[in-house]
Amino acid sequence: MIQDPQGNAAARPSMNANQTLPHAFVILFLLAVLAAVVTWFIPSGSYERATNAQGRSVIVEGTYRLIDNHGIGPFDFFNAFFEGMKSGSSIIFFLIIVGGTFGVLRQSRAVEGLVNFLLERLKGREILIIPLMMTFFAVCSGTYGMIEGSIVYIFILLPLARRVGYDAVVAAAIPLIGTAIGYTGSFLNPFNVGVAQSIAELPLFSGMGYRIICWLAFVAVSIGYVMLYTRRVQASPDRSVVYGLAPPEASEVSAEHIHLTPRHLIILGAFALALIAIIAGVSAFGWYLKEMAGVFLVLGIVTGGVAGMGANRLAASFSTGCKDMVDGALAVGMAFTIVVIVQQSDTIDTIIHALSSIIGDTSSSAAALGMFAMQSAMNFIVTSGSGQAALTMPIMTPLADLAEVNRQVAVLAFQFGDGISNAFTPTAGWLMAGLTIAGIPWTRWIRFMLPLIALLYGLGALLVLLATTVVWPAA
C-alpha cells in the first residue's frame, strides 16, 4: 500500500492499472519456463574462449561447434532457481544492504526537510522548483538508484502545483521523469551500471566521464520539456492533458511540514561524503561490491545516530529498507536462473551464434543501435534494471565482442534501453503507483509523454552512435 509521508495509508482513486499487470516474478518464472522448453528445440553448441590482454574471457571467433547435450528436465529446472540465486548472491546481498541503509535515511526525514526548505525559499518563483527538484531526483537515481522512493514526494508537490496554477501532471513529472531519466544516464548506480559492468568484466563505474555527459543531456532535455509544458498550462489551463478531470483525493492530503534542521544537514552531508568515498575508492583503490556495501552500512549507522534513533529503531528502519529491496534482489536471482538454464543446456552460445550471424554483415554502429533497440524492447517485459542486466548482459557481452562493439557501448545501450521506457511503460509498477496518487490516467500521461519519448529515444540513439564512433570505437 502506498503511504503518505507521515506513514498513513493514502486516499487514492479506485483506478489502479497496476492491479491487472502480472508481477515481475510471474514474468520471470514464465520466461524461465520458456527458456527450459526452448532448450529441447535449440541445438547445443559451444565457442572456444580465451583470456585477452585485459584479462577478460572472450569468445574466439569462428570456433562455434555443435555438441551433444539435452534439454532441461523438470527436476533440473527447479534446481536452477537455487543455482541462479547462488550465482547472483553477491549482487543480491549488496542490494539488500543498500536498501536497509536507505530505509534509515528515509526514516530520518532529511530529504523531506530539504524539499520543504526549497519550497519556502522559492515563493513567487515556483517554476524554479522544476529544474532544482528534477536535478535532485536525477542525481539520486543516477548515483544510488532511487526509484520507488520518489513517488512519496508527489504528496508534497500536488498542493504546491494547485496553488500556483500548475496541473497534477507537473507534480507527478518532477519526481517520476526526474528519477527515470537520472536512471537512464546513470554514472554511479550499482543497480544497473554496476551490475552490467560486473557481468561484462569491466572496471566498476569505468567510463564515468561520458556517462555524466549523457546524464546531463537527458536531464536538460527533460527539464526543458516539463518547463515548457508548465508555462503553457499556466497560461491556458484548458491545454492541460488532464483538463476536465476531477482532482485526486490524494491531492487534498496535507503533507507534514518538515523543517530542515542541523541534523538533516549533517545527514545530507554524510550522504554526499559517502558518494565521494565510493567514487574515490572505486577509481583509485579498485573497490567493488564488498567495499561499497561497507560504506553504505557506515552511512546507515551514522544517519541513525545523527537522527537520534535508538538502536532498536535504527535496526527496525534498516529491516524495513531491506524488505523494500527484497523484490528487486530476488528478481536478480530469478533472472540469473534463466541464464543458468541456457548455460547448463549449452544453448547460450547457440543463441549468441544466431544473433552474431544476423548482425555479421552490419557495421558496429548498426550493431550497437540494434542492442539499444533490443534492450528497450526487453524493458517492457523485465522492468528491474539489475534483473534485466543479469538476464541480457551474459548474451550481449560476447555478442558485442563478435560485432566489434566496445563492451562499454553494450553497457550504455543496456542502461539507455532499461531507463527511458521507465517513464511511460505501464509495466513499471512504481510509475503506475505514482500516477494513481496524482489521479492521472495512464492514457492521459502518455499523451503528455509522447513528444518527450521521441526526443529521448532519438537522443539515446545519437549518444550510442557517438560512443561507438568517437568515445569507445574499438571492441
Side-chain angles (χ1 to χ4, degrees):
M1 175 177 289
I2 302 301
Q3 296 182 326
D4 67 19
Q6 296 99 287
N8 302 315
R12 61 170 61 186
S14 59
M15 180 278 297
N16 189 347
N18 196 41
Q19 291 177 348
T20 63
L21 300 173
H23 193 283
F25 291 176
V26 174
I27 294 173
L28 288 168
F29 183 83
L30 291 176
L31 287 174
V33 172
L34 178 63
V37 171
V38 166
T39 62
W40 289 92
F41 298 95
I42 295 180
S44 299
S46 178
Y47 279 104
E48 292 181 12
R49 284 170 167 77
T51 302
N52 66 8
Q54 289 76 38
R56 304 172 192 155
S57 176
V58 297
I59 281 176
V60 179
E61 190 172 1
T63 61
Y64 176 80
R65 60 185 177 86
L66 294 174
I67 61 175
D68 291 329
N69 204 339
H70 58 79
I72 297 295
F75 188 69
D76 289 335
F77 171 77
F78 287 103
N79 285 344
F81 284 88
F82 178 85
E83 293 297 327
M85 296 292 175
K86 187 170 71 172
S87 297
S89 59
S90 60
I91 298 172
I92 290 170
F93 285 114
F94 173 75
L95 297 182
I96 290 174
I97 289 172
V98 173
T101 294
F102 285 100
V104 179
L105 183 62
R106 285 195 301 271
Q107 189 66 31
S108 74
R109 313 297 291 277
V111 175
E112 285 93 332
L114 177 63
V115 171
N116 281 309
F117 173 80
L118 291 174
L119 292 176
E120 290 173 355
R121 293 296 183 273
L122 293 175
K123 287 182 178 178
R125 299 170 294 159
E126 286 84 358
I127 190 71
L128 296 179
I129 200 69
I130 295 174
L132 288 173
M133 290 308 301
M134 286 187 70
T135 299
F136 169 76
F137 287 118
V139 168
C140 291
S141 59
T143 54
Y144 73 84
M146 180 179 73
I147 291 289
E148 290 82 358
S150 64
I151 64 177
V152 300
Y153 299 100
I154 296 175
F155 289 105
I156 299 173
L157 294 169
L158 273 171
L160 167 69
R162 295 183 66 189
R163 282 201 307 269
V164 297
Y166 304 162
D167 63 6
V169 170
V170 177
I174 292 172
L176 298 182
I177 297 178
T179 299
I181 296 312
Y183 204 87
T184 299
S186 296
F187 49 91
L188 195 65
N189 185 342
F191 304 122
N192 59 356
V193 174
V195 175
Q197 286 189 326
S198 66
I199 295 172
E201 300 181 65
L202 293 169
L204 195 62
F205 303 128
S206 54
M208 188 184 299
Y210 185 66
R211 287 187 170 82
I212 290 176
I213 293 173
C214 295
W215 180 90
L216 289 170
F218 280 118
V219 172
V221 168
S222 300
I223 288 174
Y225 181 82
V226 176
M227 290 184 74
L228 285 173
Y229 173 84
T230 303
R231 289 296 194 194
R232 186 179 69 189
V233 170
Q234 197 172 28
S236 304
D238 59 338
R239 300 183 70 181
S240 166
V241 298
V242 291
Y243 182 74
L245 292 182
E249 295 177 23
S251 67
E252 303 296 339
V253 177
S254 297
E256 180 184 352
H257 190 87
I258 305 295
H259 291 284
L260 187 67
T261 67
R263 289 189 178 192
H264 291 155
L265 290 174
I266 294 173
I267 290 168
L268 293 170
F271 172 65
L273 287 175
L275 293 182
I276 293 171
I278 289 173
I279 294 173
V282 167
S283 303
F285 305 109
W287 283 9
Y288 194 52
L289 298 180
K290 179 179 68 176
E291 292 81 6
M292 290 172 62
V295 172
F296 278 112
L297 277 174
V298 172
L299 175 61
I301 294 170
V302 169
T303 297
V306 173
M309 301 180 190
N312 285 343
R313 186 180 168 204
L314 192 158
S317 301
F318 187 88
S319 176
T320 299
C322 291
K323 292 173 186 175
D324 291 341
M325 191 59 69
V326 165
D327 276 5
L330 290 179
V332 173
M334 294 187 72
F336 269 106
T337 295
I338 300 170
V339 177
V340 166
I341 288 171
V342 294
Q343 285 177 337
Q344 288 184 347
S345 60
D346 290 313
T347 55
I348 191 168
D349 281 6
T350 301
I351 296 171
I352 294 168
H353 179 67
L355 291 173
S356 65
S357 299
I358 294 173
I359 66 172
D361 296 328
T362 63
S363 65
S364 58
S365 296
L369 289 176
M371 291 180 180
F372 177 33
M374 284 188 283
Q375 295 285 13
S376 298
M378 179 59 68
N379 198 50
F380 286 91
I381 302 171
V382 182
T383 56
S384 165
S386 47
Q388 185 179 338
L391 180 62
T392 61
M393 289 310 297
I395 295 175
M396 291 299 164
T397 299
L399 184 62
D401 293 340
L402 292 173
E404 297 184 350
V405 173
N406 194 296
R407 292 186 180 188
Q408 295 282 14
V409 177
V411 173
L412 196 73
F414 152 72
Q415 69 179 93
F416 288 178
D418 170 55
I420 292 174
S421 61
N422 284 332
F424 69 91
T425 174
T427 54
W430 71 279
L431 173 69
M432 300 306 290
L435 295 181
T436 301
I437 292 171
I440 304 170
W442 182 80
T443 52
R444 299 290 185 105
W445 177 256
I446 203 65
R447 281 171 51 190
F448 162 72
M449 285 295 300
L450 275 175
L452 180 59
I453 292 166
L455 284 172
L456 294 176
Y457 274 121
L459 177 59
L462 180 63
L463 292 171
V464 167
L465 284 175
L466 183 61
T468 308
T469 57
V470 178
V471 184
W472 297 303

